[in-house]
Amino acid sequence: MTARDVVLARLRAALAGAPPAPVHHRPGHRRQGELPPGHPELVDLLAERLTDYRAQVHRATEATVADTVAGILAAEGAAAVVVPPGLPAGWRPGGVELVVDDDLPADRLAELDGVVTAAAVAVAETGTIVLDAAADQGRRLISLLPDRHVCVVRAEQVVATVPEALARLTPDRPLTWISGPSATSDIELNRVEGVHGPRRLHVVVTDG
């Protein structure tokens, strides 16, 4: 039986109202890391992996998030950015026009210089941040169209493994998993950035 057959069999069983098929984990599968969420070693590992993926990682305290984000945007000449309605007031940078998303059309989002969001969770081992479209993250579209994404992650949101992240997420929400700037390669392995999302990713990790 192929893997495809297994998947289809499980789908048929689920649709028929049958109990789900047992899940067999491969040897060595880890559902949880050795360190608790937010441990400094996990935060360092997340930063290391994100940097490997060409994201830029910044550290801030909860009180300096706004200034840190403002510095990032000023250094890159960003003049106007979109923010989700629920982005904490204390994280909103000065010195730049903030456009609160109220179902802005795609062409308006595309012409803005960036987006500032929070995150739902981050995975240290894979260097991944996850957005679930909560009020402080906004619609998926606002994190995909602008060419610059500044994402604020609280240290307590950093977990070790993907299963730990999944346990914190609601599966029926729209999830966006981000590991570095958007990039793809052609058949000659020439890297092209910005095809499916922002070319510039800044992650601000706070101590809060």
Side-chain angles (χ1 to χ4, degrees):
M1 178 176 288
T2 66
R4 179 176 180 274
D5 294 329
V6 172
V7 170
L8 291 176
R10 289 177 177 172
L11 288 173
R12 292 190 186 100
L15 291 174
V23 176
H24 301 286
H25 297 294
R26 62 178 173 79
H29 174 79
R30 295 165 56 244
R31 295 193 59 80
Q32 189 168 349
E34 290 73 28
L35 300 173
H39 191 283
E41 290 185 26
L42 290 182
V43 175
D44 289 344
L45 179 59
L46 174 70
E48 178 183 332
R49 294 288 159 80
L50 283 168
T51 301
D52 284 345
Y53 299 144
R54 300 190 183 185
Q56 296 185 51
V57 180
H58 312 261
R59 303 295 181 101
T61 66
E62 187 72 15
T64 62
V65 169
D67 288 342
T68 301
V69 174
I72 293 168
L73 296 175
E76 297 191 350
V81 298
V82 60
V83 296
L87 190 74
W91 291 3
R92 300 188 180 205
V96 63
E97 179 187 357
L98 297 181
V99 181
V100 178
D101 179 48
D102 57 357
D103 290 329
L104 294 170
D107 56 349
R108 174 65 173 138
L109 288 172
E111 67 185 15
L112 293 171
D113 297 315
V115 57
V116 181
T117 74
V121 65
V123 185
E125 292 185 352
T126 61
T128 305
I129 55 176
V130 186
L131 278 60
D132 67 356
D136 58 359
Q137 299 149 50
R139 299 179 294 155
R140 294 187 72 188
L141 193 61
I142 70 170
S143 64
L144 296 176
L145 271 183
D147 204 27
R148 178 181 293 100
H149 184 185
V150 181
C151 184
V152 182
V153 178
R154 292 187 173 95
E156 66 193 23
Q157 295 178 303
V158 181
V159 300
T161 68
V162 170
E164 286 178 86
L166 290 173
R168 291 185 171 211
L169 297 168
T170 303
D172 59 356
R173 295 188 65 84
L175 302 178
T176 305
W177 296 67
I178 303 169
S179 293
S182 169
T184 188
S185 297
D186 61 20
I187 59 174
E188 296 182 343
L189 300 182
N190 294 314
R191 181 182 172 98
V192 179
E193 297 184 342
V195 176
H196 308 295
R199 283 181 296 180
R200 300 176 183 83
L201 174 64
H202 294 269
V203 178
V204 178
V205 183
T206 80
D207 60 358

